[in-house]
Amino acid sequence: MGGSSAAHPKCSTDEGSTAINSSLMIGIFMLIKSSCAAVRWRRHGGPAWISRGLVVACVIVLGGLTPGCADRREEYPSRPVILICPWTAGGGTDRVARQLAVGLEGELGVPVNVVNATGAAGVTGHTRGALARPDGYTITLMTVELSMLHWRGLTPISYADYRPAALMNRDPAALFVRKDAPWQTLKELNAHVRAHPRQLRASGTAMGGIWHVALAGWLTEIGARSDAVRWISMEGASPSLQELMAGGLDIVSCSLPEARSLLDAGEIRALGVMADERLAEFPNIPTLKEQGVELVLEGWRGIGMPAETPDEVSRVLAAALERVVKGDEFRRFMARAGFNWAFEGPAEFSRSLARMDRSFGTLLTGDAFKNMGEGTIGPMVFPAILLGLGFISLVMLVTTGGMSRTESSDSFSWRGAWRVAEVLGGILLYLLVAEALGFLVTGFAIMAFLMWRLGVRWPVALLVSLILVALVYQVFAVYLRVPLPQGIFGW
């Protein structure tokens, strides 16, 4: 894999930061001087509102930020990229994410930081990635759960909220039994399950996970109920295989790479893989299709960015990913880790996502899975609990007289209510215009206006707002690399 950062001319973030720092220092110095002059002027009969020097200083500070920031906006990438991993650190997806990050850093010439946004069976990470700012600086390592979560009612986020960049891994599901199990073929196991429903136990992941869906799909295809084999919820393939060896399970559903060590040792037997054709690494394991079961189901991993990401940014990222994924280093990593390497570009990956989404939709909304989501704790459970607690507290305050006025209570005034409305209006205005005008302009204007409305003199409000907004920008955008709205000026 050759580093090709030179092929993507970039603005130096350090140069931009230096320009910002210099402008801020000059501007703040001039503001202090102008404020002192304004105070002395007023003492000698000058106007009370603001000196011209203060206005000039504000213009210089904000204008002085333009060159450094504008450079950062013109080229992509010019600052660190965040790679969201929806799963925990140390797992298979996290390992793939970190290997990709290393390769992308060499290709893009900027740091690529992996952030594990875990929780809610992948909802947290996939939602955060889909709702990120569509500027190419937040990308997501999507997994097969993206094709399942919205069908299970856990989130409205689906593949349509992403712009696919590249797929790099496919792992079809397979069915495993112990070497001393009485079923030598899938046909024998099919007959046993149909004749003895609910007798066997299986696992491979948590309830509702990809490998559970694979097993339920197999059962449905052979004419059995989706719960004809009892599913034991476990943490993943590794503990499931251990339990299979200990005799606690009869079947494990997971990918072939995950079971490779036991398979190579002859301790377990693979009865079939849910792929279109036999895998090159496992040529002796037949597909379910070969054995009369029309089922293809596989886990996958790929990179996506928010759906509104511009074309030029998408092209740069997709080209870099193709070089990384097709590179020898990444392919060696996938082989060593036991993952099946695959590659699809944006167009082909997009078609695959649509096809897989339809397949999972048919599977998860069918009669076989109608009871699968029952009892699942949805994303709105905890907000509903908080709302309920708030309502109970309100009722208690009303019934116990906690909301009655006392002699020490402040009397209501429309002026006070208007002040509160102004603050809320300022927050709403920021949400509406920050993306268009940028954090610096919007934050400075709103903060200065609110301080003035709260009784702070104009010169002080402008000076304090300018310093605070600049400090917040320096800390969060420059040092902590938190993406803030840049707006039309690139700030």
Side-chain angles (χ1 to χ4, degrees):
M1 178 181 65
S4 58
S5 57
H8 307 289
K10 298 175 284 294
C11 164
S12 166
T13 301
D14 293 337
E15 291 176 2
S17 301
T18 302
I20 294 173
N21 292 331
S22 302
S23 300
L24 280 175
M25 294 300 294
I26 295 172
I28 291 172
F29 174 77
M30 293 191 65
L31 273 175
I32 295 173
K33 294 285 292 182
S34 300
S35 299
C36 294
V39 172
R40 288 195 299 271
W41 191 6
R42 185 182 179 188
R43 288 176 179 174
H44 292 83
W49 48 286
I50 191 171
S51 72
R52 292 180 180 177
L54 194 57
V55 175
V56 172
C58 292
V59 172
I60 289 175
V61 169
L62 297 178
L65 294 173
T66 305
C69 295
D71 287 346
R72 301 198 324 159
R73 182 173 179 266
E74 288 174 355
E75 303 292 344
Y76 172 83
S78 60
R79 52 190 168 89
V81 174
I82 294 175
L83 173 54
I84 293 177
C85 173
W87 304 101
T88 55
T93 303
D94 178 71
R95 292 163 59 197
V96 174
R98 295 182 188 280
Q99 184 65 31
L100 275 176
V102 172
L104 281 176
E105 285 186 355
E107 292 292 336
L108 298 176
V110 297
V112 178
N113 304 313
V114 176
V115 174
N116 297 93
T118 63
V123 171
T124 303
H126 286 106
T127 302
R128 179 174 173 181
L131 300 181
R133 189 170 299 118
D135 55 9
Y137 290 100
T138 301
I139 60 178
T140 305
L141 182 54
M142 306 180 298
T143 59
V144 65
E145 281 73 15
L146 181 64
S147 303
M148 303 166 55
L149 294 173
H150 69 106
W151 291 115
R152 295 171 57 193
L154 298 178
T155 176
I157 298 298
S158 72
Y159 79 96
D161 296 291
Y162 278 98
R163 182 165 189 162
L167 178 142
M168 69 286 301
N169 167 235
R170 288 184 186 278
D171 281 327
L175 297 175
F176 302 92
V177 297
R178 286 188 305 277
K179 65 178 183 181
D180 58 351
W183 317 289
Q184 299 299 315
T185 65
L186 184 66
K187 185 177 179 180
E188 294 176 1
L189 181 61
N190 293 346
H192 184 95
V193 170
R194 284 194 290 261
H196 306 282
R198 307 282 300 167
Q199 184 187 73
L200 303 183
R201 294 180 295 182
S203 189
T205 186
M207 182 76 71
I210 177 63
W211 304 138
H212 181 202
V213 173
L215 183 118
W218 159 62
L219 294 172
T220 304
E221 288 294 327
I222 65 173
R225 286 175 53 91
S226 60
D227 59 353
V229 173
R230 288 181 291 166
W231 186 262
I232 310 299
S233 186
M234 301 193 75
E235 292 295 326
S238 179
S240 300
L241 290 165
Q242 293 177 9
E243 193 62 26
L244 177 71
M245 296 303 300
L249 296 173
D250 303 293
I251 306 169
V252 164
S253 170
C254 66
S255 69
L256 284 164
E258 289 173 307
R260 184 162 201 160
S261 58
L262 289 175
L263 199 61
D264 291 343
E267 298 294 333
I268 60 175
R269 186 164 55 246
L271 299 183
V273 59
M274 303 178 191
D276 278 318
E277 55 188 22
R278 297 191 183 198
L279 303 184
E281 297 86 352
F282 303 92
N284 297 324
I285 298 176
T287 67
L288 267 64
K289 278 186 170 182
E290 295 176 38
Q291 303 175 78
V293 180
E294 293 293 327
L295 178 64
V296 174
L297 202 148
E298 58 192 9
W300 55 265
R301 297 181 178 94
I303 292 291
M305 54 197 116
E308 302 299 325
T309 304
D311 292 343
E312 59 272 21
V313 173
S314 175
R315 282 194 293 270
V316 171
L317 185 60
L321 277 168
E322 182 172 357
R323 291 191 291 271
V324 172
V325 176
K326 289 185 175 180
D328 294 337
E329 186 174 347
F330 185 78
R331 298 189 68 156
R332 282 196 297 270
F333 160 77
M334 295 294 279
R336 287 196 304 269
F339 299 119
N340 289 318
W341 180 91
F343 177 78
E344 289 183 1
E348 188 178 3
F349 188 21
S350 181
R351 290 191 293 272
S352 295
L353 285 174
R355 174 178 54 80
M356 288 185 284
D357 192 79
R358 288 194 298 271
S359 299
F360 278 107
T362 302
L363 189 64
L364 295 176
T365 59
D367 292 339
F369 286 85
K370 64 182 180 182
N371 296 325
M372 190 171 161
E374 292 183 355
T376 301
I377 298 177
M380 296 305 295
V381 169
F382 291 108
I385 292 174
L386 293 177
L387 185 63
L389 291 175
F391 178 76
I392 294 173
S393 300
L394 180 62
V395 172
M396 293 178 63
L397 285 173
V398 172
T399 55
T400 59
M403 298 186 68
S404 302
R405 291 187 57 189
T406 63
E407 293 181 357
S408 59
S409 301
D410 294 333
S411 59
F412 173 81
S413 73
W414 284 108
R415 183 180 180 184
W418 181 247
R419 290 285 184 269
V420 174
E422 286 179 339
V423 174
L424 296 177
I427 297 172
L428 179 62
L429 182 63
Y430 177 85
L431 296 176
L432 293 176
V433 305
E435 287 291 342
L437 298 180
F439 170 79
L440 285 175
V441 174
T442 310
F444 171 75
I446 293 176
M447 181 177 289
F449 174 77
L450 291 178
M451 291 181 69
W452 173 68
R453 292 294 295 162
L454 291 173
V456 180
R457 291 184 302 157
W458 263 117
V460 177
L462 290 172
L463 181 61
V464 172
S465 299
L466 186 64
I467 294 174
L468 285 179
V469 170
L471 286 175
V472 170
Y473 184 88
Q474 287 290 100
V475 171
F476 285 90
V478 177
Y479 296 117
L480 299 181
R481 305 297 186 188
V482 175
L484 296 175
Q486 294 186 331
I488 57 176
F489 305 111
W491 297 356

